[in-house]
Amino acid sequence: MVTSEGEVWSFGSDGWDGRLGHGDRRGRIFPHRVLGLPRMRMVACGGMARSALSNGRCDPALNPDVFSGALSSNHLHFTPRGVNLAVLHAGFCVGVSCGGEVFVWGDGAHGCLGLGHLAACFAPRPLPALAGIPVLEVAAGGAHCVLVTKDNVVMAWGLGKLGQLGTGSRSRQMMPVEVTALRRRSIVRVAAAGSFSGFVSEDGSLYMCGCGWDGQLGLGDREGRLYPEKVTAWKKTTGFLDELEEEEEEEEKEMAPKSSTLFTRLRGWSRGCSTGDPRRAFSS
């Protein structure tokens, strides 16, 4: 957290990756000040802690960010029985000083620190690639970062497998690169979460890119985007619950059987049974 005086304090598990920024691998149960930083304006925390395995197998439905490789196998920790659950966790931080300088620390997986290597950083250090470039805002996702400079230039780095960097490529970027698709868009705000990113322009337009498996891009489908795309369809908030109920009623009508026979399709073939006993649809 950042205090009103610009000090950064952290606490919790350090996760063996330096995410707390105290120069060691020890966790803190009380807030401790992070030393070596100038007066800071903001700090963003990235990384994830999600269930990634189900019955010993990787299940993409549990979390697309984990399945995409956002976290390496070095962060696997099994439950005592070691068969039903695995938790992937890694963490890193990126902050902007009151003078617009960017500092990073924590896990370096997939180049999410922007330092050109994968090693962890246990104490804050300035990002050399952005030296002399005043930054307005920065955001951190699962294993990537996006920022906007005071000149409205958008940059990104880290994991890009699902298009979260907005560069048009799925390659990871070990150091900050410009998101050229947003030139002349006058971007003033950025956001990141998991494997997707968002950008807001001066006129209030919203642009999204990255993973869209759950519709999180707001673009009307579940497809991903390699380039930032403008969100054009906005649903009115007035009467939202009424609209939601109407949509659910329509879905129920579509799913309701249109005759006295219920057909279920199992593995490419159909079977009919009386609607009086639905269990028969799945009996052998």
Side-chain angles (χ1 to χ4, degrees):
M1 63 181 181
V2 181
T3 68
S4 58
E5 290 77 26
E7 297 177 348
V8 177
W9 295 67
S10 65
F11 48 94
S13 170
D14 196 66
W16 295 89
D17 51 29
R19 72 187 71 174
L20 297 185
H22 299 303
D24 56 40
R25 290 185 168 92
R26 293 189 299 110
R28 302 292 195 280
I29 61 175
F30 294 107
H32 283 64
R33 183 181 175 184
V34 179
L35 304 178
L37 288 169
R39 184 181 175 91
M40 299 294 285
R41 186 169 71 245
M42 66 167 296
V43 171
C45 300
M48 289 172 290
R50 301 291 178 89
S51 299
L53 300 187
S54 176
N55 295 323
R57 295 185 179 182
C58 190
D59 186 354
L62 290 176
N63 189 273
D65 303 312
V66 173
F67 185 69
S68 71
L71 304 174
S72 67
S73 59
N74 294 331
H75 303 103
L76 278 172
H77 294 273
F78 291 89
T79 56
R81 295 185 180 182
V83 292
N84 292 323
L85 176 68
V87 175
L88 291 160
H89 64 81
F92 65 98
C93 295
V94 55
V96 180
S97 72
C98 292
E101 188 176 8
V102 176
F103 290 80
V104 295
W105 64 94
D107 194 319
H110 301 286
C112 60
L113 297 183
L115 296 172
H117 57 70
L118 304 178
C121 186
F122 293 90
R125 59 176 298 181
L127 193 52
L130 297 175
I133 302 176
V135 171
L136 184 64
E137 188 174 64
V138 67
H144 75 288
C145 292
V146 293
L147 65 75
V148 58
T149 71
K150 290 187 177 181
D151 294 326
N152 304 114
V153 176
V154 178
M155 307 187 79
W157 66 91
L159 184 68
K161 191 170 184 179
L162 294 177
Q164 56 265 53
L165 301 185
T167 60
S169 169
R170 297 183 184 274
S171 301
R172 72 182 178 190
Q173 298 293 334
M174 303 292 290
M175 300 173 67
V177 295
E178 182 183 357
V179 182
T180 57
L182 292 173
R183 284 180 181 175
R184 296 181 295 278
R185 300 292 185 184
S186 298
I187 300 299
V188 293
R189 303 295 303 272
V190 295
S195 289
F196 63 101
S197 304
F199 313 89
V200 179
S201 67
E202 203 168 38
D203 65 3
S205 298
L206 173 64
Y207 299 83
M208 301 293 294
C209 65
C211 177
W213 290 3
D214 294 313
Q216 59 265 55
L217 301 186
L219 297 171
D221 55 40
R222 299 180 185 275
E223 301 297 323
R225 300 294 193 280
L226 296 180
Y227 291 102
E229 185 172 323
K230 185 176 180 179
V231 178
T232 57
W234 293 92
K235 198 174 186 68
K236 294 181 179 179
T237 55
T238 304
F240 172 72
L241 293 179
D242 293 335
E243 293 178 5
L244 185 60
E245 290 178 357
E246 291 177 1
E247 291 179 359
E248 291 178 347
E249 289 177 359
E250 290 297 326
E251 290 180 359
E252 289 177 358
K253 290 179 181 178
E254 293 178 0
M255 296 176 63
K258 297 182 179 179
S259 67
S260 60
T261 304
L262 174 66
F263 290 94
T264 58
R265 187 169 296 277
L266 305 172
R267 299 183 182 277
W269 54 277
S270 298
R271 174 179 296 174
C273 70
S274 168
T275 56
D277 185 6
R279 292 173 298 178
R280 290 182 55 194
F282 301 96
S283 62
S284 57

